[in-house]
Structures are given as C-alpha cells and as structure tokens.
Amino acid sequence: MISYIKGELTEIFDDIITVENHGIGYEIRVPLSLIEMLPAVGNEVKVFTYFQVREDGVALYGFLSRQDLFMFQKLLGVSGIGPKAALGILSALSPDALRLAIFTSDAKAIAKAPGVGAKTAQRVILELKDKIDPNEILSPPEVTQETYPSGMAAVGTAAREAIEALVALGYSTAEASRAVKQVEVVPESTAEEILKKSLRHLF
C-alpha cells in the first residue's frame, strides 16, 4: 500500500499529475478541483494516495490531505460508485463542498458531476449523510469537542437547520454555510437564533 508520495511536481496534464521521487515518476489521477491548489511545477508536493489494482491495470489516485482521501474512499463505499465516478464528483465539487452538499441533502449540486444522475446523487446522500461529521463543516474554530464535550450534536443540528432555512429563502448552500460559519454557535443556540444572526452577514 502506498500511503503518500512526496517529491517534485514535474507535470500537470488535465486530471493527471506526475510526482518524481528518487528518479521515479509516479502518474497520479487527481480531481480537477485539486489542480488550482497545487504548487507550481518544479516545487515539492505531498500527495496522499489510493492505490487501485484491477484486472486491466493499476492506478493511483491522489489528494492533498488525508481527510480528502477519506472522502474519496467514502464515495467508493457507495453502491454503484467506482473510482472514475468518485473522481468526477470530486472534480465538480471540492471535498468540503461535497461534505456540505451531503449534509444539507443538496442532490442537485452532486448531480452536476459528469455521469452522475439524480438517483445516484440521492444514493450518495442516503449512504453517506450519517458518516459526515457536522463539526468539520459547521463549527467555528472556537467551538471544539474539548470546549463543549456534550453539546456538539446540538450545535451541528441547529446550524444545519439554519442552513436549510437559508437555502429555503433562496440562498445557495455555499452562501448559507459561509454565513452560519460567521456566527458564534454554542450548544444553547437555537436554529432561529443562528438564522437571524446569519442573515446579518447576507445583507
């Protein structure tokens, strides 16, 4: 198993990059959403990888963080989703945007990925929603498990309801998420309170 490859970024071609390590160039398939975050060719890069072995060949898939690699692996666990489809979804949506789309049940956003229809998008949400940690998406930096060891579930639920309410008002999930992130959320916060405070950041 190849956990990660660290070396010089020598080529970027569409959704394939080459990373050279000790004289060997590793061809790695990456989501298009990752390309803009790469350093310039010639610089060092660390890519966390998923190594796929099939009858018709082998392939490496890469991500800039282990958390994003885990998101790719979660997609592979969805029935009917293979590496190509998973990479397509993460090309249309960044891993963070995908987590938000799953968390807020935004099937339309996921269905924008090439080769992914409405039914597949709904299946992704159905099978992964319980596996998405709301704290990764919604909690502001000062709200941590250590700060509120017993209240994080309430924080996530109230914030999610506030986002859903903003989306119902016509805002995009990205706009709603950004607004909610700017609100100080504590376990005692209600969805209504978060909604009212979030609206101030949208006018």
Side-chain angles (χ1 to χ4, degrees), residues 5-9 19-21 38-46:
I5 297 172
K6 185 176 182 180
E8 180 186 348
L9 177 65
V19 178
E20 183 177 333
N21 177 282
L38 289 170
V41 169
N43 288 291
E44 184 178 78
V45 66
K46 183 177 182 179

Side-chain angles (χ1 to χ4, degrees), residues 91-106:
S91 291
L93 295 168
S94 69
D96 282 340
L98 175 60
R99 292 185 189 95
L100 179 61
I102 293 170
F103 192 68
T104 58
S105 300
D106 188 355

Side-chain angles (χ1 to χ4, degrees), residues 28-145:
I28 307 170
R29 293 188 176 277
V30 298
L32 294 175
S33 61
L34 178 147
I35 296 296
E36 62 184 21
M37 295 184 286
L38 289 170
V41 169
N43 288 291
E44 184 178 78
V45 66
K46 183 177 182 179
V47 182
F48 294 91
T49 57
Y50 174 83
F51 184 49
Q52 181 196 33
V53 180
R54 298 178 56 179
E55 293 181 1
D56 56 351
V58 298
L60 275 173
Y61 297 86
F63 304 87
L64 292 182
S65 73
R66 197 173 294 281
Q67 187 180 42
D68 290 348
L69 170 61
F70 290 160
M71 189 71 251
F72 177 75
Q73 291 174 313
K74 286 177 181 177
L75 282 172
L76 294 181
V78 176
S79 56
I81 299 289
K84 185 177 180 180
L87 203 68
I89 292 173
L90 290 171
S91 291
L93 295 168
S94 69
D96 282 340
L98 175 60
R99 292 185 189 95
L100 179 61
I102 293 170
F103 192 68
T104 58
S105 300
D106 188 355
K108 289 183 179 180
I110 300 173
K112 291 179 181 178
V116 177
K119 289 185 179 179
T120 300
Q122 289 287 358
R123 189 162 60 247
V124 168
I125 292 170
L126 179 65
E127 296 188 24
L128 295 185
K129 193 164 188 176
D130 291 340
K131 299 178 182 179
I132 299 298
D133 184 357
N135 303 329
E136 295 178 3
I137 306 170
L138 303 172
S139 299
E142 64 270 22
V143 180
T144 64
Q145 185 67 32

Side-chain angles (χ1 to χ4, degrees), residues 142-153 155 184-188:
E142 64 270 22
V143 180
T144 64
Q145 185 67 32
E146 289 73 24
T147 307
Y148 301 113
S150 62
M152 292 312 295
V155 169
E184 183 178 355
V185 181
V186 297
E188 293 77 20

